[in-house]
Structures are given as C-alpha cells and as structure tokens.
Amino acid sequence: MLTKTSEIAVQALVLLSRRTDDAPVSPRELAARLGASPTYMAKVTGLLVKANLLQAHRGVHGGVSLSRSPKQITLLDAVEACQGRILGDYCQEGASARVVCAFHAAMLELHEAIIGTLGKWTIEDIEKKTLPSPPLRGLVRCKMSCIDAGAPSPQKKGRP
C-alpha cells in the first residue's frame, strides 16, 4: 500500500524527531543511517521540504530539520507528500454512495478508513515505539528497526 518512498520518508521523519539538537542533518547522513542511496534520500527530503514537513538549510553545515513538532506531523502528511493526495476509486466522482453501486460504497468506506488511520497517527506516536516488543525482537522484520540499529536512543528535546 505504501511506496518505498513513503516508508523512507516516515523513517527519516522519525529519525529527525529523535534528535536532541536542532542542527540540520544532511540527506547523505540520513541515507547512511537508513540504508538508502544518497541520491534517493535527496529526492525524498526534497518532497518533504516541498510539503513543508522539513526545512532545508543551505551551506557547509546545511541539511534538513523538522519544520514543526513531531506531534503535528501525521502519517497522512508524509504519505501524501510522497505519493500525492489519496483519492478514492469511485464509479462516478462526487456521487453519493447511496446512489451508486455497492462497489462505490465499499471504496468510499475504504478511503475514509485509510485517511482516518493515517491522519490519526503522528510521527511522535511512531517514534515512541520503533521496535517490536522484547519477546518478538529478532523474530520479526520491522521497518523501523534501522532507526534503532547500532545507536543509543537520544534523549528527546521539547519542540514548539
């Protein structure tokens, strides 16, 4: 359902939310930490900057930083920044579900569920538990494990 670009975007946002300082992080550093190519990470961070989820900083010590608090960035924000606006696949755009077929009604229900779920979860929510519960660690593959791999969890700093 989510593209690789959306997954990398969420990982980058969570990684940036864990920073203890506001210093910009280069896309190259994010790429190394997340196991992505620097070129691909530059594309992803560009999409997040364009969507105003990240702020770009120029210069020798440039890079990107969160443009707002992790509790103000939803998964829907990240996914739509990377994949475009999530639209339902209906029989007739704008028609009422009562007027059109059952498929239309089912797709409308699916669309509302996706938007509702992605809009409810924030980067802060994801950051709070990026690894599976201890009994499951090592038994399941977790897409967020690259965030915790080989690095101590930094102390969180309050954001505006």
Side-chain angles (χ1 to χ4, degrees):
M1 172 165 36
L2 296 184
T3 64
K4 182 70 173 170
T5 302
S6 291
E7 289 177 6
I8 292 283
V10 170
Q11 291 170 342
L13 290 167
V14 170
L15 191 59
L16 289 169
S17 77
R18 289 190 157 192
R19 304 239 343 138
T20 57
D21 61 21
D22 289 330
V25 178
S26 73
R28 183 173 297 282
E29 184 180 335
L30 287 171
R33 184 70 190 273
L34 299 175
S37 79
T39 305
Y40 188 58
M41 186 56 68
K43 172 191 167 189
V44 173
T45 56
L47 292 169
L48 296 173
V49 167
K50 186 176 179 182
N52 196 30
L53 302 178
L54 294 181
Q55 182 177 4
H57 305 271
R58 294 181 178 223
V60 175
H61 301 290
V64 293
S65 62
L66 293 177
S67 64
R68 53 188 188 231
S69 164
K71 66 182 166 192
Q72 295 175 319
I73 302 173
T74 66
L75 291 181
L76 181 62
D77 294 330
V79 170
E80 287 189 336
C82 298
Q83 295 179 214
R85 188 163 173 247
I86 296 176
L87 301 171
D89 188 12
Y90 309 122
C91 300
Q92 180 180 357
E93 186 134 353
S96 168
R98 293 183 308 259
V99 177
V100 185
C101 70
F103 176 77
H104 180 113
M107 291 304 99
L108 177 61
E109 188 176 324
L110 175 63
H111 177 259
E112 289 171 350
I114 290 170
I115 297 296
T117 300
L118 292 176
K120 175 179 77 173
W121 285 85
T122 67
I123 294 302
E124 181 180 72
D125 296 331
I126 303 300
E127 190 276 329
K128 287 179 182 176
K129 186 177 184 244
T130 56
L131 289 177
S133 300
L136 295 175
R137 288 185 194 158
L139 300 176
V140 296
R141 278 189 45 207
C142 177
K143 296 202 181 259
M144 292 293 138
S145 63
C146 60
I147 292 167
D148 288 309
S153 191
Q155 290 185 354
K156 289 200 49 94
K157 178 179 132 180
R159 296 196 186 274

